[in-house]
Amino acid sequence: MLVRDPNSAKFLIIRFSSFGDVVQTLSVPSAIKETYPNAEIHWVTRKDMAPLLKNHPNIQRIWEFDRKAGLSGLIKLCLQMRKEGFTHIYDAHNNMRSRVISWILRPLGILGVGPKFIRRSIRRWKRLLLFKFRINTFEMPFNGQRDLLEPLQPWGISRKAPAAPQIFPSEESFQKAREVLGHYAGSVALAPSAAFFLKRWPKEYWQELILLCPDQRFVLLGGPEDSFIEDIKAAAPERVLNLAGKCSLQVSSSVVGLSAALISNDTGLLHVAEQLGQKTIALMGPAPFGFPSRPSTKILEIELKCRPCSKHGQGPCVNKFKYHQCLVDITPQQVAMELKQLLQRNQP
């Protein structure tokens, strides 16, 4: 039986990036609290990701690391954190920076001395089998949040994601979102971008989707580098608002929260919608590890022997018969039908 003292437990979560991974990891503090209700929870993350963690009721302190500070800055930050006396450390990132933190905070860890420690496995062997030899030994269906919570089971923490919401945009960011949206508040948000091209539903499909929904207004979200999104707006400029590159991550998250629903590629805003409990349609293509976790999300995917083909969707496409088939075969008509059903759900 697990022996624990919830009155003295002090946790540190290590997750620096990326946008989507940090957002998914936001379920971890609440899962910890379900088992250790009196625990104090800290989180160390990259400075530009820190605002995503703010206002979370189960995070007591956020430690911000500025990449410009380099290794010396990371060591200084670790020496400050050593004073906290953490009882549990969860390395949810598993990279060189997170290893530096664990080495400094528990220098005698190899001897079993110091805070209890769990490092999330990257499962390199399983990934090699999957992508190189097409042998899938992962638990199905893929589930991003389950994979982040499962390592904590030795501490008695459930691998089931806590109920939404698990992201809490500030009132200031909501107010800014209302200002940029204007009369587009309550529209359907679209996230047509993704880190890699093969994770993107074709641009022409987004245009056709807009034309298939003549009575619906849309808001487009993305980064400043996503110039192609302006072409999507051109399908119906009188009822499409392009906010790509015009909002911070926090304001974009608030825009999702103020929308009627989100349609998204496999990208960070998909996980924001999930953590808000927002109605969502997820267009899932070549990558396996960011799969949605909540019943509020409708997953659209094409079952193919070549899926998944790469861990991040970086490619190349290995389909010998039809390029990009995993997303090309999800039609605008299908998405339009799913959107109509989604918007009708729970309506009086």
Side-chain angles (χ1 to χ4, degrees):
M1 179 179 293
L2 181 68
V3 178
R4 58 179 178 265
D5 180 2
N7 295 311
S8 61
K10 194 170 190 177
F11 286 77
L12 175 66
I13 299 167
I14 307 171
R15 184 77 218 192
F16 292 106
S17 60
S18 59
F19 177 32
D21 291 324
V22 168
V23 171
Q24 289 186 91
T25 309
L26 284 168
S27 289
V28 171
S30 296
I32 291 173
K33 283 284 192 177
E34 288 177 359
T35 303
Y36 300 81
N38 298 313
E40 182 178 336
I41 300 175
H42 294 212
W43 187 320
V44 58
T45 193
R46 221 167 62 188
K47 184 177 181 179
D48 56 324
M49 296 292 153
L52 297 169
L53 280 58
K54 292 182 178 178
N55 303 315
H56 196 298
N58 292 321
I59 301 174
Q60 279 66 58
R61 182 167 183 179
I62 302 167
W63 298 83
E64 301 181 14
F65 171 65
D66 189 342
R67 286 180 293 178
K68 297 178 182 178
L71 178 60
S72 61
L74 182 62
I75 293 173
K76 289 179 182 179
L77 183 65
C78 291
L79 294 177
Q80 294 176 28
M81 290 192 294
R82 278 188 67 173
K83 301 173 184 178
E84 296 294 328
F86 295 110
T87 61
H88 299 70
I89 298 174
Y90 176 36
D91 180 0
H93 201 131
N94 195 350
N95 69 351
M96 184 52 66
R97 286 180 183 142
S98 68
R99 288 175 179 268
V100 168
I101 292 176
S102 64
W103 291 334
I104 294 177
L105 296 189
R106 49 192 309 273
L108 300 179
I110 195 171
L111 302 176
V113 178
K116 295 180 180 180
F117 178 76
I118 289 176
R119 173 173 288 122
R120 182 189 178 213
S121 172
I122 298 178
R123 301 173 177 178
R124 287 189 174 89
W125 176 244
K126 286 190 172 187
R127 292 185 179 191
L128 176 67
L129 289 175
L130 177 61
F131 299 125
K132 188 71 173 178
F133 300 103
R134 313 307 305 162
I135 299 173
N136 188 3
T137 58
F138 286 93
E139 180 178 349
M140 299 301 290
F142 292 112
N143 185 307
Q145 292 199 43
R146 182 190 66 218
D147 291 345
L148 283 159
L149 291 164
E150 192 170 47
L152 299 176
Q153 287 183 298
W155 293 344
I157 295 167
S158 173
R159 69 177 194 160
K160 182 179 179 182
Q166 293 299 327
I167 188 171
F168 302 88
S170 67
E171 182 52 42
E172 179 184 4
S173 68
F174 269 115
Q175 182 57 38
K176 289 182 179 178
R178 294 185 188 98
E179 291 172 2
V180 296
L181 282 170
H183 67 280
Y184 279 87
S187 302
V188 173
L190 306 179
S193 188
F196 297 99
F197 173 80
L198 289 178
K199 292 172 71 174
R200 297 180 183 179
W201 203 44
K203 179 178 70 174
E204 298 77 13
Y205 284 23
W206 293 103
Q207 294 170 326
E208 188 172 351
L209 171 65
I210 291 170
L211 294 176
L212 287 169
C213 305
D215 298 325
Q216 182 64 58
R217 287 183 298 190
F218 294 92
V219 175
L220 299 169
L221 294 169
E225 70 283 359
D226 296 321
S227 57
F228 74 94
I229 291 181
E230 187 64 24
D231 296 334
I232 298 174
K233 175 183 177 179
E238 71 283 356
R239 53 188 178 87
V240 178
L241 176 66
N242 182 10
L243 293 180
K246 300 175 183 178
C247 301
S248 66
L249 294 179
Q250 297 71 45
V251 174
S252 294
S253 300
S254 299
V255 168
V256 172
L258 294 172
S259 299
L262 172 74
I263 305 174
S264 178
N265 292 324
D266 179 6
T267 190
L269 288 174
L270 166 62
H271 305 300
V272 167
E274 282 234 297
Q275 295 292 49
L276 288 169
Q278 178 62 283
K279 296 177 181 178
T280 306
I281 296 174
L283 308 172
M284 303 304 294
F289 300 127
F291 256 67
S293 310
R294 301 189 183 278
S296 54
T297 299
K298 173 66 177 182
I299 299 174
L300 297 184
E301 59 180 327
I302 304 296
E303 294 293 341
L304 298 169
K305 290 183 178 180
C306 59
R307 286 184 68 231
C309 62
S310 54
K311 63 179 181 178
H312 298 307
Q314 67 270 35
C317 178
V318 296
N319 190 318
K320 298 178 181 179
F321 305 101
K322 188 174 184 180
Y323 180 76
H324 207 193
Q325 185 179 3
C326 58
L327 284 172
V328 169
D329 279 6
I330 300 174
T331 67
Q333 291 78 11
Q334 181 184 1
V335 176
M337 181 184 67
E338 293 289 349
L339 175 61
K340 182 178 179 181
Q341 294 176 355
L342 196 70
L343 295 177
Q344 290 175 342
R345 190 186 303 168
N346 298 329
Q347 284 189 351

